[in-house]
Amino acid sequence: MRKAAGAAPRAGLAGSLLREVSADPARLPESLASFTLRHMGPGAATAVERLRAAHPEADAATLRALVLTRGRRAVTAEGAFVGGPFLLFVPVAFCGALLSQARMVFELAAVEGRDPEDPERAAELLVLQGVYEDTATARAALRAAPAAGGTTGHRARGRWAALWDLVVRMARLLGLLTPGTEGPGRLVRLGQYALTGAVFLVGLVAPLVWLPYLAVSYWRATNRLTDRATAFYVGSPDLRPQRRRRVRVDASMGVALLRALGSLLVPAVAVFLVVTTDLRTAGARWPVIVIALVAGCLVTGGWWLWRRRRHRTTP
């Protein structure tokens, strides 16, 4: 039973979390902390036990490094690759990444000798996410009952507005909209928004370009979380391997980049064929170009979705 409770977010937990937090988006952090404690805590304890059994000679620092490395990869995979290039799946992808981040924090606590199923871990998670400044305030917020009629305002605003607000809140918890402890400058923030807008527009034509962009974003945000969590539980920041003048690219990110470039070729070839063959409809060329771009988007996105579904059903 413990193994089932601690199963990876792919086993439907991301969808369950999305339904739970959608009921009251205003209490997203508290709902997330309570949900992850129930579902991730037992699995975190089991994972650390197995890690110790597999590496009997490893000390606490080695186990901590293994937990954080695996956690970073899990967050990147759940957020960028499970969610995929379709904007419709972004909320589910965010939930998967949040669950993976929480499990990594709970496993780190277990390595340091703390019970990952203790309700105190939920309060500590809220502090590490920057929701509250101390665990006492976080504990009080977790014990507080949801406000009466808390969801009425969101329903009045409309379903899509409430969903957008929920997605923004999840992005802030993940660290995707809060690059550092001190806010970035106005020019830096404008540059980030411009880059996000450019990726969004290109992603409408070639949806797989989201994969490397999201992968890098999740990777950086999770690194900041691991630094805070290590400083909280160990007392010193996580010393990630860093080499001067060298950049180590994770294999999954390299594959994502190649897929993104490949997805750009499909609509590019389609537009090239339209231009070279001078295809027109109603005497104009641009409607055919739009159709070619939409078709290219559907082909690349559909191919990605088919591969994901095939891999999930293949033993």
Side-chain angles (χ1 to χ4, degrees), residues 123-210:
E124 293 168 354
L125 178 63
L126 290 174
V127 173
L128 293 174
Q129 290 174 331
V131 181
Y132 298 103
E133 294 184 357
D134 54 78
T135 55
T137 307
R139 284 194 299 270
L142 287 169
R143 290 193 298 266
T151 60
T152 304
H154 291 276
R155 291 172 180 167
R157 292 176 53 201
R159 181 179 179 182
W160 291 109
L163 180 61
W164 172 255
D165 183 51
L166 181 64
V167 168
V168 171
R169 288 171 180 266
M170 287 192 290
R172 292 188 182 279
L173 281 182
L174 283 168
L176 302 179
L177 296 182
T178 51
T181 54
E182 64 280 351
R186 180 175 300 178
L187 292 179
V188 175
R189 188 180 295 107
L190 290 176
Q192 292 172 346
Y193 289 157
L195 177 60
T196 302
V199 174
F200 174 80
L201 292 176
V202 176
L204 295 178
V205 178
L208 295 184
V209 300
W210 278 101

Side-chain angles (χ1 to χ4, degrees), residues 4-271:
R10 296 172 184 173
L13 283 183
S16 299
L17 174 60
L18 181 60
R19 288 190 294 270
E20 183 166 320
V21 298
S22 297
D24 191 2
R27 284 182 57 83
L28 168 64
E30 294 80 8
S31 299
L32 170 69
S34 300
F35 184 94
T36 53
L37 182 68
R38 296 194 307 269
H39 295 277
M40 299 283 100
T46 302
V48 172
E49 291 173 3
R50 292 177 178 174
L51 200 60
R52 286 198 176 100
H55 303 275
E57 75 291 348
D59 56 7
T62 303
L63 291 175
R64 183 166 62 248
L66 291 173
V67 166
L68 296 181
T69 299
R70 182 173 59 184
R72 295 187 190 100
R73 291 176 178 174
V75 173
T76 302
E78 292 295 336
F81 307 128
V82 174
F86 297 99
L87 298 181
L88 183 63
F89 293 160
V90 166
V92 179
F94 278 4
C95 286
L98 285 168
L99 288 170
S100 295
Q101 281 189 350
R103 175 159 180 163
M104 178 186 64
V105 171
F106 294 158
E107 289 182 2
L108 179 61
V111 169
E112 301 306 319
R114 307 193 187 194
D115 183 6
E117 300 183 59
D118 190 326
E120 186 70 11
R121 302 293 85 80
E124 293 168 354
L125 178 63
L126 290 174
V127 173
L128 293 174
Q129 290 174 331
V131 181
Y132 298 103
E133 294 184 357
D134 54 78
T135 55
T137 307
R139 284 194 299 270
L142 287 169
R143 290 193 298 266
T151 60
T152 304
H154 291 276
R155 291 172 180 167
R157 292 176 53 201
R159 181 179 179 182
W160 291 109
L163 180 61
W164 172 255
D165 183 51
L166 181 64
V167 168
V168 171
R169 288 171 180 266
M170 287 192 290
R172 292 188 182 279
L173 281 182
L174 283 168
L176 302 179
L177 296 182
T178 51
T181 54
E182 64 280 351
R186 180 175 300 178
L187 292 179
V188 175
R189 188 180 295 107
L190 290 176
Q192 292 172 346
Y193 289 157
L195 177 60
T196 302
V199 174
F200 174 80
L201 292 176
V202 176
L204 295 178
V205 178
L208 295 184
V209 300
W210 278 101
L211 294 181
Y213 177 80
L214 287 176
V216 172
S217 299
Y218 283 118
W219 189 268
R220 291 177 178 175
T222 306
N223 280 341
R224 291 190 291 268
L225 177 63
T226 59
D227 288 342
R228 295 193 298 270
T230 308
F232 185 89
Y233 289 116
V234 185
S236 60
D238 170 33
L239 300 179
R240 296 185 299 276
Q242 295 180 355
R243 295 182 176 89
R244 295 181 179 179
R245 305 293 182 181
R246 295 183 64 183
V247 178
R248 184 177 180 180
V249 179
D250 187 78
S252 59
M253 294 186 185
V255 173
L257 181 59
L258 292 177
R259 290 177 179 175
L261 293 177
S263 70
L264 285 172
L265 292 177
V266 175
V269 170
V271 173

